[in-house]
Amino acid sequence: MKVFFLVNRPGPALICLKRIFLLLIFSLWASVQVMGATHNSTVPSSNQISVAGNSSVSSSSSNPMAGTGNTSVSSSSSRPSVVNIGALFTYNSVIGRSAKPAILAAIEDVNSDKSILHGTTLNVVFQDTNCSQFLGTIEALELIQHDVVAAIGPQSSGISHVMSHVINELHVPLLSFGSTDPSLSAQQYSYLVRTTQSDYFQMYAVADLVDYHQWREVIAIFVDDDYGRNGISVLGDALAKNRARISYKAAFSPGASISEIHDVLLGVNLMESRVYVVHVNPDSGLNIFSVAKSIGMMGAGYVWIATDWLPSHLDTLRLPDPNIMNLLQGVVAIRHYTPDTDLKKKFMSRWDKLKHDGISGFNSYALYAYDSVWLAARALDVFLNEGGKISFSKDPQLRDTNRSSLRLSSLHIFDGGSQYLKTILRTNFTGVSGRIQFDTDKNLVHPAYDILNIDGTGTRKVGYWTNHSGLSIAAPEIVYSKPPNVSTSNQHLYSIIWPGETAKTPRGWIFPNNGKPLRIAVPNRVGYKDIVAKDKNPPGVRGFCIDVFESAVVLLPYAVPRQYVLYGDGERNPEFSELVRLVAENKYDAAVGDITITTNRTRIVDFTQPYLESGLVVVAPVKEAKTSPWAFLKPFTLPMWIVTGGFFLFVGAVVWILEHRSNHEFRGPPRKQIMTIFWFSFSTMFFSHRENTVSTLGRLVLIIWLFVVLIINSSYTASLTSILTVQQLTSRIEGIDSLMSGTDPIGIQDGSFAWKYLTNELKIAESRLVNLRNEEEYGNALRLGPKVPGGVAAIVDELPYVEAFLSHTKCQYRTVGQEFTKSGWGFAFPRDSPLAVDLSTAILQLSENGDLQKIRKKWLQTEDCSMNPEDQEANRLSLTSFWGLFLISGVACFIALTTFALRICCQYRKFVPEADVGPEEVVPGTPRRTIRATSFKNLIDFVDKKEAEIKQILKRNRSEQNHASPSSEVNFHSAP
């Protein structure tokens, strides 16, 4: 996975300062060289030793690769017998005490391995940086003059920054096992190769840990140098991606005293956040926890997250120190992850033979230092195999300074440095720290960290972090074998014991312990005093909004010191958008009142859960509707009238068909029959039909239809009664659409967001809008009407205000149309305020237990004064309510007609029996017809006959057939 770093380029002034600093260093180093030449000393410095395999410590002056001649120093064409590499770190440090034996072991292993270098001995020149960037830089220059092909170290990011400019000039790769400063990944440090993980990844691990526990603010405690500043800068960027932030940066100097640390922590303890990220050096970092313990900052409610410096210190202790572990109870720490491979286990088994200077254990930096030597050796072997030569030459730019007192001619350029660097970057092998392979940004691939929890007398692993899938309880090898997944649901850790020996996740913040209560702004309203208003009694304000806020605060598990501040002059309603802006700028700590949650406001502040539903509605005058002479048509909609009338005629026609052959009342001339159909159809509406039905099918259809008619009559009567007796109100304004299409003035509450909404969203001219301050002005404007100056056709306001206004006027006015926006009222807090989240939970609790509704009934009177034309339309009966009845009746008619038709066909078949066809009717080659061809008229005549006549004819035909059958049989048998 590629990781890109964006590093700000230093400005010209900073570049000049660095050049001046380098010049001063070169001057001092040259002075040391002059003094050394004057005394002609051959004794090596105490800070400098040279080791080649198991050979004894020798003077650095016996360097086999030392140059001869003034123009260049070069090797023979064959492989060199000895190649120098440097090791630069602070001997007396947590990292240095682990790194030195690891480097010595690596040199021994490389020189004893016959499969690498093939006769070339790797010699290491050690240099002590003495925990000083200044002295360390001078020692680094001393190291490079021994013509090393690579330098292992330094552990200090500050020295790496300075030395990077030198090695860029001299083409000497710098393999740093301890410089974790993220800015060192910049392209300007081309010859610096980091053999450990960058703090870029570590800070994202911390950010994911913070986000996992839903904290939104942290305080960074760090050492004020390149290592500390740049690491915390990346942490700020990582937190911002998760909508969190660093609320305060507590920095102190690298050599800070206990008293200085004490003062810094005292100031930190007065702040709101209780989540501390400690990013310091391992040699002095424990002083922070010692001071924190003394001032009571290691108890319940505090969160301490330490970067890899703390595990690096603890890992060097073979047995945990009870005093140290007592300081660190509940601390969460990040440690470089190194897989438990056989190589690592073998290295661990050898450690007792390698340790020195009183060191008991080793940390991850010892593993990285060991692998750095092997990286240099493997790359060197490939470099030599590919025809590379170990040669050094004078730097022309340094030669120009020979006239001065600065003796820089002893610094040589490694001629094959560029090729050697490329070989290092493409090297891929598995070391004791894991896989050694670099990506395009020169970072080790597959970064991973252990998440540790210090509890009791040791550390407990609670999970891992990778940039592949974030937090996980699965080992990184397993995680990297699966597709990446950084979703929230995929983040997992084991339980953590926090300071105070509690397993409950701390809230992560508390009110500042500086004695200042929250300054809560409350709008000083002119109207609607029941919602929020000034009060003479403590706390100085009262109303519905205040009671909701106070009730929610009582449910919080902690005290909230607060002070209400009125916002507004009391003569006009304040501008709520301006109030919200002041909260966003931290002029107020919160705003409590009837503040509508809108899109623009949520961009700058955080709102709580809405405690009251709201939305814009239209209020307009109404008048009683006059009774219409055509009111009797209103109960049914037009489709209902059409379908009902059609079914009356359809059912009448079906009954006539079913009764025509057997009922003499449905027979006669065509005119009489048509009149009978119409009369019978509509007389069933009043159950006054005089014709009797005699057929079974006719009675079936009629009884079902009479049931349908009964339901329709009852519904029609009820609807008509309601229309004629209930008061009907009308208004020429039917909703917001009517206002938009007209030109009448519209009333708006002073200070409401409705002004901007109507002008910006609905494009209503500002000249049409009239500001109204209170309920009295509402009533006066509506009474005057749109034709009188100061009057309005309607008022657009939020529903809670409208309900209160209509209740006071006894529904003299009504709301028309529907709500055309949906929103709510909430309390406003600055962005990422944890109090907004806790109060939202409290408001939901008030809603669930019914207290919120009780508060609303106490302060806000509500009456249903709505008048919606659609509601009046809904009182009319439509086809939707009766289609089931019509369907039943239609199905019954269909079944009756089908049965009747089948019966007719059977009778007609018997009425026209088979007969012999005359000779003149026989057509050769044509099939014989089984039924005589008859015209449609004959069929109609058959259907029109009475049932009794048909039965007599069929009876006579059967009798004739019975008399004719015997003679026919005799003739058949007597035929010759």
Side-chain angles (χ1 to χ4, degrees):
M1 177 177 293
K2 294 184 178 180
V3 180
F4 298 93
F5 299 97
L6 299 178
V7 182
N8 293 330
R9 294 183 177 180
L14 183 58
I15 294 176
C16 291
L17 289 175
K18 287 187 175 181
R19 290 177 176 175
I20 293 174
F21 180 64
L22 284 173
L23 186 60
L24 291 174
I25 291 175
F26 279 132
S27 300
L28 291 174
W29 175 74
S31 300
V32 173
Q33 296 297 311
V34 172
M35 293 176 62
T38 303
H39 290 84
N40 195 20
S41 174
T42 60
V43 180
S45 168
S46 61
N47 292 335
Q48 176 184 316
I49 58 176
S50 177
V51 178
N54 293 324
S55 61
S56 60
V57 176
S58 61
S59 171
S60 62
S61 61
S62 62
N63 179 10
M65 297 299 297
T68 59
N70 295 327
T71 58
S72 66
V73 181
S74 62
S75 68
S76 64
S77 61
S78 62
R79 280 178 174 264
S81 59
V82 177
V83 174
N84 280 352
I85 64 171
L88 184 67
F89 54 88
T90 299
Y91 296 169
N92 188 24
S93 66
V94 169
I95 295 178
R97 287 192 293 268
S98 291
K100 190 170 184 178
I103 293 175
L104 290 172
I107 293 294
E108 179 181 355
D109 293 344
V110 167
N111 289 330
S112 61
D113 192 338
K114 302 303 181 180
S115 63
I116 192 172
L117 292 182
H118 306 289
T120 298
T121 301
L122 198 63
N123 180 67
V124 60
V125 180
F126 286 92
Q127 205 77 31
D128 188 0
T129 58
N130 293 298
C131 285
S132 170
Q133 291 189 15
F134 179 74
L135 296 178
T137 304
I138 295 179
E139 296 294 338
L141 295 174
E142 285 280 347
L143 177 66
I144 293 177
Q145 76 169 345
H146 294 288
D147 294 337
V148 295
V149 297
I152 309 299
Q155 71 188 61
S156 169
S157 298
I159 297 176
S160 295
H161 276 281
V162 178
M163 283 305 302
S164 293
H165 299 285
V166 178
I167 62 176
N168 285 351
E169 183 70 24
L170 302 179
H171 298 177
V172 178
L174 188 64
L175 309 182
S176 178
F177 62 87
S179 300
T180 58
D181 178 3
S183 66
L184 289 173
S185 297
Q187 294 183 0
Q188 72 177 111
Y189 308 113
S190 57
Y191 277 82
L192 187 144
V193 179
R194 197 199 315 267
T195 56
T196 184
Q197 296 292 352
S198 168
D199 279 343
Y200 175 90
F201 302 106
Q202 180 173 210
M203 293 308 168
Y204 271 83
V206 173
D208 285 350
L209 185 63
V210 171
D211 183 64
Y212 177 80
H213 293 95
Q214 299 182 356
W215 297 315
R216 288 293 171 260
E217 291 186 359
V218 304
I219 292 178
I221 302 173
F222 61 99
V223 59
D224 195 8
D225 59 8
D226 292 332
Y227 158 76
R229 286 190 303 270
N230 295 329
I232 296 302
S233 176
V234 173
L235 175 62
D237 296 338
L239 289 172
K241 291 185 177 181
N242 296 329
R243 286 201 61 188
R245 66 187 182 96
I246 299 176
S247 60
Y248 182 73
K249 295 181 180 180
F252 51 84
S253 60
S257 62
I258 296 295
S259 61
E260 182 181 348
I261 296 175
H262 185 272
D263 294 339
V264 170
L265 293 185
L266 279 180
V268 164
N269 198 34
L270 296 177
M271 297 179 182
E272 183 179 276
S273 177
R274 284 293 183 263
V275 181
Y276 307 128
V277 177
V278 184
H279 187 55
V280 294
N281 295 318
D283 297 287
S284 58
L286 290 179
N287 293 335
I288 295 175
F289 291 102
S290 177
V291 175
K293 182 79 171 179
S294 66
I295 60 179
M297 294 179 65
M298 298 298 296
Y302 290 88
V303 177
W304 291 87
I305 301 175
T307 54
D308 67 282
W309 68 267
L310 181 57
S312 297
H313 183 95
L314 297 180
D315 288 344
T316 58
L317 305 176
R318 176 58 60 89
L319 296 176
D321 187 340
N323 295 327
I324 294 178
M325 303 310 292
N326 186 47
L327 293 176
L328 303 174
Q329 292 300 301
V331 175
V332 177
I334 311 294
R335 180 177 65 188
H336 293 115
Y337 172 77
T338 53
D340 292 328
T341 59
D342 294 337
L343 287 175
K344 179 180 176 182
K345 293 177 181 178
K346 183 179 179 181
F347 179 83
M348 293 171 62
S349 65
R350 297 173 55 197
W351 184 253
D352 288 337
K353 299 178 181 179
L354 301 177
K355 63 184 181 181
H356 68 110
D357 293 341
I359 188 171
S360 299
F362 69 93
N363 51 39
S364 59
Y365 291 101
L367 302 179
Y368 289 126
Y370 182 89
D371 286 343
S372 298
V373 175
W374 271 98
L375 174 62
R378 289 177 180 273
L380 181 62
D381 187 47
V382 174
F383 172 76
L384 295 175
N385 290 337
E386 293 177 350
K389 296 182 180 180
I390 307 299
S391 62
F392 297 87
S393 59
K394 294 291 185 67
D395 187 348
Q397 296 183 5
L398 297 179
R399 183 185 303 172
D400 295 337
T401 63
N402 287 342
R403 297 178 182 178
S404 67
S405 60
L406 298 178
R407 299 184 58 186
L408 303 179
S409 58
S410 59
L411 298 178
H412 304 134
I413 295 177
F414 179 22
D415 296 329
S418 177
Q419 180 183 352
Y420 184 42
L421 175 65
K422 294 177 182 179
T423 305
I424 290 174
L425 293 178
R426 72 170 189 265
T427 302
N428 181 6
F429 70 98
T430 299
V432 295
S433 64
R435 186 177 176 185
I436 305 298
Q437 182 182 0
F438 300 96
D439 59 17
T440 55
D441 297 310
K442 297 192 302 182
N443 292 308
L444 289 176
V445 297
H446 296 174
Y449 291 88
D450 295 324
I451 310 297
L452 306 178
N453 180 210
I454 300 176
D455 181 34
T457 59
T459 60
R460 183 170 57 93
K461 189 179 296 183
V462 296
Y464 306 91
W465 180 92
T466 64
N467 71 331
H468 189 71
S469 296
L471 299 173
S472 173
I473 57 176
E477 293 87 351
I478 299 175
V479 172
Y480 276 110
S481 65
K482 299 178 180 179
N485 186 356
V486 293
S487 62
T488 303
S489 60
N490 193 51
Q491 308 299 297
H492 301 287
L493 288 177
Y494 292 116
S495 61
I496 297 175
I497 304 300
W498 302 100
E501 297 183 356
T502 176
K504 182 180 180 182
T505 303
R507 190 169 63 248
W509 67 279
I510 196 172
F511 282 99
N513 214 3
N514 51 17
K516 294 182 179 180
L518 292 180
R519 298 182 71 251
I520 301 175
V522 177
N524 190 8
R525 296 192 56 87
V526 177
Y528 298 105
K529 299 291 187 178
D530 290 338
I531 293 177
V532 63
K534 180 180 179 180
D535 192 20
K536 296 180 180 179
N537 300 320
V541 288
R542 63 178 181 85
F544 166 71
C545 300
I546 304 301
D547 276 10
V548 173
F549 181 76
E550 290 289 335
S551 300
V553 169
V554 170
L555 297 178
L556 298 179
Y558 48 85
V560 181
R562 54 198 178 276
Q563 175 186 357
Y564 294 103
V565 180
L566 289 172
Y567 176 75
D569 55 11
E571 296 181 1
R572 291 188 58 184
N573 291 331
E575 179 64 38
F576 285 82
S577 296
E578 179 65 18
L579 174 59
V580 170
R581 187 186 64 80
L582 293 177
V583 172
E585 295 176 354
N586 293 316
K587 300 295 180 61
Y588 297 105
D589 299 312
V592 172
D594 47 334
I595 304 172
T596 304
I597 303 174
T598 64
T599 302
N600 290 333
R601 294 173 183 175
T602 56
R603 292 192 177 106
I604 59 175
V605 297
D606 283 346
F607 282 96
T608 61
Q609 173 78 16
Y611 59 88
L612 185 64
E613 294 284 335
S614 182
L616 292 178
V617 294
V618 178
V619 182
V622 295
K623 60 182 179 179
E624 186 175 352
K626 296 180 180 179
T627 303
S628 171
W630 302 101
F632 68 90
L633 295 175
K634 290 184 178 180
F636 287 167
T637 60
L638 180 60
M640 181 65 181
W641 279 117
I642 295 174
V643 173
T644 302
F647 253 86
F648 272 109
L649 295 175
F650 173 68
V651 172
V654 171
V655 172
W656 177 85
I657 294 172
L658 299 176
E659 294 290 326
H660 177 70
R661 303 182 71 201
S662 57
N663 193 338
H664 69 277
E665 294 183 354
F666 288 88
R667 299 187 67 82
R671 180 179 297 179
K672 180 183 177 182
Q673 294 183 48
I674 293 175
M675 292 303 297
T676 299
I677 292 175
F678 276 92
W679 166 256
F680 181 83
S681 298
F682 290 104
S683 62
T684 55
M685 181 184 300
F686 310 103
F687 305 97
S688 59
H689 50 283
R690 65 177 182 226
E691 292 81 7
N692 295 320
T693 53
V694 296
S695 67
T696 303
L697 293 177
R699 289 175 178 177
L700 174 64
V701 171
L702 183 61
I703 194 171
I704 293 176
W705 173 245
L706 291 178
F707 175 74
V708 175
V709 170
L710 175 64
I711 300 299
I712 292 176
N713 280 343
S714 301
S715 302
Y716 175 85
T717 303
S719 179
L720 182 61
T721 302
S722 175
I723 291 174
L724 296 178
T725 57
V726 177
Q727 183 185 24
Q728 301 294 319
L729 302 176
T730 62
S731 173
R732 68 184 187 87
I733 304 297
E734 297 181 355
I736 188 62
D737 293 332
S738 300
L739 291 178
M740 292 173 60
S741 60
T743 58
D744 295 333
I746 304 171
I748 300 294
Q749 184 182 174
D750 190 21
S752 172
F753 80 99
W755 183 288
K756 289 186 178 180
Y757 181 82
L758 295 182
T759 56
N760 297 339
E761 302 296 332
L762 302 185
K763 307 303 179 184
I764 296 177
E766 292 188 5
S767 58
R768 295 180 57 193
L769 303 183
V770 179
N771 269 324
L772 304 174
R773 295 184 301 173
N774 50 37
E775 302 96 318
E776 183 179 355
E777 292 188 0
Y778 276 30
N780 292 336
L782 289 174
R783 279 192 295 271
L784 291 175
K787 305 301 181 181
V788 180
V792 295
I795 292 175
V796 175
D797 206 352
E798 296 181 67
L799 184 59
Y801 303 118
V802 170
E803 288 179 343
F805 168 68
L806 296 180
S807 298
H808 294 158
T809 60
K810 305 300 181 183
C811 291
Q812 182 178 354
Y813 308 98
R814 301 295 178 99
T815 59
V816 294
Q818 299 288 341
E819 291 183 54
F820 54 93
T821 64
K822 287 291 184 180
S823 58
W825 290 356
F827 304 130
F829 291 87
R831 293 299 298 268
D832 301 321
S833 172
L835 190 58
V837 178
D838 291 350
L839 275 178
S840 293
T841 304
I843 290 172
L844 289 175
Q845 187 174 347
L846 287 176
S847 178
E848 291 172 356
N849 60 25
D851 290 344
L852 190 60
Q853 187 64 23
K854 292 177 182 178
I855 298 174
R856 182 173 181 177
K857 288 182 178 180
K858 173 185 174 182
W859 290 98
L860 303 180
Q861 300 177 3
T862 58
E863 290 189 31
D864 187 10
C865 299
S866 61
M867 191 216 71
N868 196 337
E870 295 180 2
D871 295 338
Q872 298 180 11
E873 195 69 22
N875 293 330
R876 304 181 66 187
L877 301 176
S878 65
L879 184 61
T880 305
S881 304
F882 297 94
W883 71 268
L885 292 174
F886 289 124
L887 178 63
I888 294 173
S889 179
V891 171
C893 292
F894 175 76
I895 294 174
L897 289 174
T898 303
T899 305
F900 178 77
L902 294 175
R903 183 181 176 189
I904 291 295
C905 290
C906 292
Q907 289 182 347
Y908 188 66
R909 188 180 180 87
K910 295 177 181 179
F911 182 76
V912 187
E914 294 184 3
D916 294 335
V917 180
E920 68 281 359
E921 296 179 4
V922 176
V923 180
T926 59
R928 185 179 178 183
R929 300 173 65 183
T930 59
I931 300 178
R932 291 179 180 177
T934 58
S935 64
F936 181 72
K937 183 177 182 300
N938 294 335
L939 179 61
I940 296 300
D941 292 340
F942 174 78
V943 175
D944 191 53
K945 290 182 181 292
K946 292 184 178 180
E947 185 75 17
E949 294 179 6
I950 296 298
K951 289 181 178 180
Q952 290 178 0
I953 295 173
L954 292 177
K955 184 177 181 182
R956 185 172 59 250
N957 290 342
R958 283 195 300 268
S959 177
E960 292 176 352
Q961 290 176 1
N962 291 333
H963 288 295
S965 295
S967 60
S968 300
E969 185 177 357
V970 173
N971 294 334
F972 176 78
H973 287 287
S974 61

